[in-house]
């Protein structure tokens, strides 16, 4: 029994989601191999070799892997799939784009967004926006699984796995990379941040989100938002936290003017400490908050900033 993890990377280094996925893979039993499919990605392959618990790194190098096109990466996974009992990828846009193709070609059912491994064939995953946990048992010969990264701690470093070059499959020709627009920010990336300050519809306008910036700056935090704030055009879509946005689990999550719709709670309730600021004492956000402040955010946030010096 051997598990293959599809590494998410930018050719120069690994994304943090890969470390969480390796942690899940080690709980499946047997050896763990990591596939790094990229172009000039030797540095990423070496980083994968240093993850504790990894027995081997498979490095497939080709120009058509440079931008992580799912059609090509999926074909590379399929070329290697025969030797594995489990194939895992993070439940990020990257992993969600690749693994359904792999599962379909293997004619097996994908198991999505697992948060716990009960045994090599039994897994837990949230359903109904996280209000229930389903226990799923698979009899498929190959288990194709995406991993909700907030459900597993990041694997430690200190490993010394071997790196093996594998033959790259040919370009599928089904898609081509055109361009990428990357949002630039001096703040931490939302899904990797240890502290997040989020605003909701209660902020009232996009301009009012500037009130949260000094708080985020003092805490070294990323900034997020509820879907209501995004849909209202207050902030960009890539700030959205929730079931249809980004799933986060920082050490500290500060929810300002967020009522706590079930879809939002599904994306942040695994945060280690949750602080909520809302004028409505009956707001659902208080049901998951460790600390709640009932009051006017336009008075409370400046006071918090002042207290932080």
């Amino acid at each position: 029994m051997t598990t293959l993890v599809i590494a998410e990377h930018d050719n120069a280094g690994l994304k943090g989601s890969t470390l969480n996925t390796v942690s899940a893979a080690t709980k499946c039993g047997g050896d763990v191999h990591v596939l790094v499919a990229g172009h000039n990605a030797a540095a990423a392959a070496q980083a994968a070799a240093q993850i504790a618990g990894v027995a081997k790194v498979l490095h497939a190098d080709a120009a058509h892997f440079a931008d992580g096109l799912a059609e090509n990466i999926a074909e590379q996974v399929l070329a290697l799939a025969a030797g594995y009992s489990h194939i895992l990828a993070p439940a990020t846009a990257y992993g969600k784009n690749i693994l359904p193709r792999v599962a379909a070609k293997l004619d097996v059912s994908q198991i999505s967004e697992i948060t716990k491994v009960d045994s090599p064939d039994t897994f837990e995953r949230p359903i109904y926006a996280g209000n229930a946990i389903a226990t799923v048992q698979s009899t498929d010969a190959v288990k194709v699984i995406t991993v909700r990264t907030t459900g597993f701690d990041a694997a430690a470093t200190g490993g010394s796995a071997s790196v093996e070059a594998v033959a790259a499959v040919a370009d599928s020709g089904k898609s081509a990379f055109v361009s990428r627009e990357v949002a630039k920010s001096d703040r931490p990336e939302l899904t990797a941040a240890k502290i997040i300050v989020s605003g909701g519809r209660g902020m009232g306008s996009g301009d009012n989100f500037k009130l949260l910036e000094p708080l985020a700056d003092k805490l070294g935090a990323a900034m997020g938002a509820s879907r209501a704030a995004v849909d209202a055009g207050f902030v960009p879509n890539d700030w959205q936290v929730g079931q249809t946005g980004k799933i986060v689990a920082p050490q500290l999550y500060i929810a300002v003017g967020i009522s706590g719709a079930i879809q939002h709670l599904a994306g942040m309730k695994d945060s280690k400490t949750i602080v909520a600021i809302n004028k409505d004492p009956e707001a659902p956000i208080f049901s998951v908050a460790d600390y709640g402040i009932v009051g006017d955010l336009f008075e409370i946030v400046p006071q918090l900033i002042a207290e932080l010096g």
Side-chain angles (χ1 to χ4, degrees), residues 32-82:
V32 175
H33 295 178
V34 175
L35 170 64
V36 176
H39 185 47
N40 295 328
Q46 286 299 326
Q50 294 170 16
I51 302 174
V54 173
K56 183 189 293 184
V57 175
L58 305 178
H59 182 201
D61 189 278
H64 51 270
F65 292 148
D67 298 296
L69 294 176
E71 292 81 358
N72 291 332
I73 304 295
E75 288 301 322
Q76 185 65 58
V77 174
L78 289 165
L80 301 168

Side-chain angles (χ1 to χ4, degrees), residues 43-266:
Q46 286 299 326
Q50 294 170 16
I51 302 174
V54 173
K56 183 189 293 184
V57 175
L58 305 178
H59 182 201
D61 189 278
H64 51 270
F65 292 148
D67 298 296
L69 294 176
E71 292 81 358
N72 291 332
I73 304 295
E75 288 301 322
Q76 185 65 58
V77 174
L78 289 165
L80 301 168
Y84 295 98
S85 58
H86 298 71
I87 299 174
L88 274 61
T92 58
Y94 180 81
K96 290 177 179 179
N97 204 8
I98 295 167
L99 279 201
R101 303 169 192 272
V102 173
K105 287 288 188 74
L106 292 176
D107 195 24
V108 300
S109 298
Q110 176 176 301
I111 305 171
S112 300
E113 301 215 25
I114 67 164
T115 54
K116 186 178 179 183
V117 178
D118 289 337
S119 71
D121 66 353
T122 307
F123 312 91
E124 295 182 14
R125 60 182 298 269
I127 57 174
Y128 305 132
N131 279 304
I133 301 297
T135 300
V136 181
Q137 186 173 38
S138 172
T139 58
D140 289 328
V142 182
K143 280 71 170 172
V144 176
I145 301 166
T146 61
V147 176
R148 181 171 286 195
T149 56
T150 56
F152 298 88
D153 292 334
T157 55
S160 56
S162 60
V163 178
E164 177 184 315
V166 295
V169 298
D171 187 348
S172 69
K174 295 177 181 176
S175 62
F177 179 77
V178 177
S179 66
R180 177 181 288 117
E181 292 186 19
V182 181
K184 296 181 179 179
S185 174
D186 292 333
R187 296 193 176 91
E189 201 277 322
L190 192 56
T191 55
K194 293 184 178 180
I195 303 174
I196 296 173
V197 176
S198 272
R201 185 161 41 195
M203 296 302 299
S205 71
D207 285 342
N208 287 339
F209 265 77
K210 293 177 181 176
L211 177 70
L212 301 182
E213 291 179 2
L215 179 60
D217 290 340
K218 286 181 179 292
L219 295 172
M223 289 187 64
S226 67
R227 178 171 179 172
V230 171
D231 286 350
F234 295 170
V235 293
N237 181 265
D238 60 355
W239 285 27
Q240 185 177 325
V241 173
Q243 185 180 16
T244 54
K246 295 178 179 177
I247 308 295
V248 300
Q251 296 295 315
L252 173 62
Y253 188 90
I254 302 176
V256 184
I258 294 175
S259 63
I262 186 172
Q263 293 85 355
H264 186 76
L265 299 185

